[in-house]
Each structure stands twice: as C-alpha cells, then as structure tokens.
Amino acid sequence: MEFQTVWFVLIAVLWVGYFILEGFDFGVGMLLRFVSRNEADRRAVLTTLGPVWDGNEVWLLVAGGATFAAFPEWYATLFSGFYFPLFLILVALIVRGVSFEYRSKYGKAQWRSRWDMAILISSTIPALLWGVAFANIVKGVPIERATNGSLEYVGGFFNLLNPYALLGGVVTLTVFLTHGAVFLALKTTGNIRDKAQSIAKITGLVAAVAAVSFLIWTNLMLPEINSVVLGLSVAVALLWVVGMGANFIRREGWAFIFSAATIGTFVSTLFFALYPRVMPSSLGAQFDLTITNASSTDYTLK
C-alpha cells in the first residue's frame, strides 16, 4: 500500500471523528436558546457539553497537522484558496470557547444572554461553512499551475458560493442540528428532552431531503459511476431513516448511534468520491491535486 494512501485514510478517519463529535457539539450550541425557558434550563443544556466540548476540537487540530505533514501542497492550496471561510471558522471557534467560559463569570442576565447568543452564532457559522468547504473540495475549484511549477488556487471568494457548495452547507447545518437535538434528548429529561425530540423530527426531515439531493448530485458529478460511492450514498439514507425512526419512538440511544453512523458514512462517501484526488481542479484534470503530487514523500510501504 502506498504511504500517501495510508495518510489519506488517516486524515479521513480524523475528519469522521471530528464531524461526529463536534457535530452534536455544534448542534447543542445552536439549540441553546430554543430548548430552554430559563437560566436553569440553559445551564442544564450547557452541562451536557461541559466534559466534552474542548476535547472534541482536538480532532480538528490533529487533522490539520496530519494534512500539513503528509500533503503540504494540499494544505497550502486549501488554506490560500479558502482563507476567508477558514478564518471565519477559526474566529467562531475561538469565540465559542470564550463564550462557554465567560457566560458564568458575571451574574447579570443581560451578560449571560449576550454570551448565549455568541454560542449560538459561533456554533452556526462552522456548522454551515464546513459543509460549504468540503462540497467545494469534492466539486473542484479553479486550480492551475503557477510559474514556479506549483498548483495554486486562482479563484476568488465568490467561486466558493456555488449552488452545490451551499447545498453542502445546508446538509451539515441541518444534520448537526439534528445530531445535537438527539444528543440533548438522550442527556436530559422533561421539557428540554421533549423540545429536543420535536426539533429533531423537523430538522431530521429537512436534513434527509438535503443530504439525498446532495449525494445524488455528487454521484452525477463524478467522472464515472463509482460503485463504492453509490453504495455508501444508499447506506447514508438507510442509516438516517433508521435513526430518525428510533427518535420518533423515543429510543434516543439508538437514534444517537445511527445519527453518528450516518455522519461517519457521509464523510467517508466524500473522501471515497475524492480519492485519489485531494482537490480536483475545475480548469482541467491535468491540474488536479492528487495524493501523489500533493505529498511530501514518494515512499511506499513494503
């Protein structure tokens, strides 16, 4: 097996872990003001994230470090072309972490309300923009060879705001909302649990429509039919249906397991659709970044 393939699989696993764990984290943050009636409810909601929210972000740090180490050309092209959306995600993650810590530092209701709104906004921005970013990576962006021989992004910010990418953003936003609602229903009781379950039923339906549309579009967009991608796309739909069915009968544990499995399968589908590319070029296949020309080594495992 090629060394680059091992790193590609490792990076895919890290992103799967990040989206599963940070997904419900973002979802709970977005739902904070919608499932709580008073300060006691809001504290109960945030307590569900207390032991895990900062640890979940470690997956992102390791994924970024692995990309830099194994595929420096991919890392450089990605961060130069997607600079503004990635900057917004970084700022949102910083604000989000500060909000969790600072909302309880002062007793006034207005102070806490502002930090609660900051949690909501800083959870929504990454949930939307991660979908936009990954959809653009799968679809392909303007990349061409520069005078120094390297492959560089030559588009602008508005190249990233295409219909396919925006649909990808809707998918991650609604899937994370549903994942977070199912997690809340699992971890809480009473009014919070009832509201979370009701929200999951609505957002789960929207997410199903968006995800199926996105996966159909993805399969039609590939250069040729990929049986693995097609099979995984069907698996995503089936897992999501089972998970939402479990939520409907108030089996939150099973609903969360199937929700997590759906997210993992969905992210795996995107990486299978990419391989052996890491960033396709919309200007021609000759400008695609692949695991070979984006890698820092040509070694193979014996």
Side-chain angles (χ1 to χ4, degrees):
M1 180 184 292
E2 292 183 345
F3 189 72
Q4 296 93 330
T5 302
V6 174
W7 275 106
F8 184 83
V9 172
L10 174 61
I11 291 169
V13 169
L14 291 170
W15 279 109
V16 166
Y18 176 69
F19 278 133
I20 290 175
L21 297 174
E22 195 78 298
F24 74 77
D25 205 329
F26 288 146
V28 172
M30 288 186 280
L31 292 171
L32 176 62
R33 294 173 68 94
F34 297 100
V35 298
S36 55
R37 297 176 298 181
N38 49 48
E39 176 60 19
D41 284 353
R42 285 188 283 275
R43 290 182 68 87
V45 170
L46 292 174
T47 299
T48 64
L49 295 180
V52 297
W53 72 266
D54 50 351
N56 292 343
E57 295 182 356
V58 174
W59 291 80
L60 174 62
L61 298 176
V62 179
T67 303
F68 175 77
F71 303 107
E73 192 81 10
W74 183 14
Y75 183 91
T77 305
L78 178 64
F79 276 80
S80 61
F82 293 30
Y83 181 85
F84 186 63
L86 292 177
F87 174 77
L88 288 178
I89 290 173
L90 178 60
V91 171
L93 293 177
I94 293 172
V95 171
R96 191 167 182 272
V98 170
S99 301
F100 284 131
E101 299 294 336
Y102 272 70
R103 76 172 303 276
S104 59
K105 298 296 184 184
Y106 191 51
K108 284 194 173 182
Q110 187 179 36
W111 169 271
R112 289 175 174 170
S113 179
R114 288 175 177 173
W115 285 116
D116 289 344
M117 182 57 70
I119 291 173
L120 189 155
I121 295 172
S122 60
S123 299
T124 304
I125 291 173
L128 175 68
L129 291 183
W130 279 130
V132 172
F134 266 84
N136 273 300
I137 292 174
V138 174
K139 176 180 180 294
V141 293
I143 299 174
E144 67 179 11
R145 194 167 300 280
T147 54
N148 61 2
S150 63
L151 293 168
E152 296 181 356
Y153 178 78
V154 293
F157 172 71
F158 291 102
N159 287 101
L160 305 178
L161 302 180
N162 55 79
Y164 177 78
L166 293 175
L167 179 59
V170 171
V171 172
T172 52
L173 181 68
T174 53
V175 167
F176 290 168
L177 264 173
T178 308
H179 197 40
V182 170
F183 177 79
L184 271 181
L186 175 64
K187 291 293 185 178
T188 59
T189 58
N191 183 66
I192 298 175
R193 179 192 180 195
D194 293 338
K195 285 188 175 180
Q197 277 198 325
S198 298
I199 291 172
K201 292 175 183 177
I202 299 171
T203 58
L205 179 59
V206 176
V209 174
V212 168
S213 301
F214 180 82
L215 290 172
I216 291 174
W217 196 339
T218 300
N219 279 275
L220 293 175
M221 191 175 58
L222 294 177
E224 57 185 20
I225 296 176
N226 187 319
S227 59
V228 175
V229 175
L230 184 59
L232 287 173
S233 300
V234 174
V236 168
L238 293 176
L239 287 169
W240 192 252
V241 169
V242 174
M244 292 306 97
N247 177 71
F248 187 80
I249 61 174
R250 301 177 75 88
R251 299 296 297 272
E252 294 91 349
W254 284 109
F256 184 76
I257 290 172
F258 278 101
S259 176
T262 302
I263 294 173
T265 308
F266 178 79
V267 178
S268 301
T269 303
L270 299 184
F271 275 92
F272 269 107
L274 271 176
Y275 185 83
R277 304 167 298 172
V278 292
M279 282 191 75
S281 173
S282 59
L283 302 181
Q286 70 273 22
F287 299 125
D288 286 350
L289 274 173
T290 67
I291 62 171
T292 302
N293 63 22
S295 175
S296 59
T297 178
D298 291 325
Y299 296 126
T300 56
L301 295 180
K302 302 294 186 183

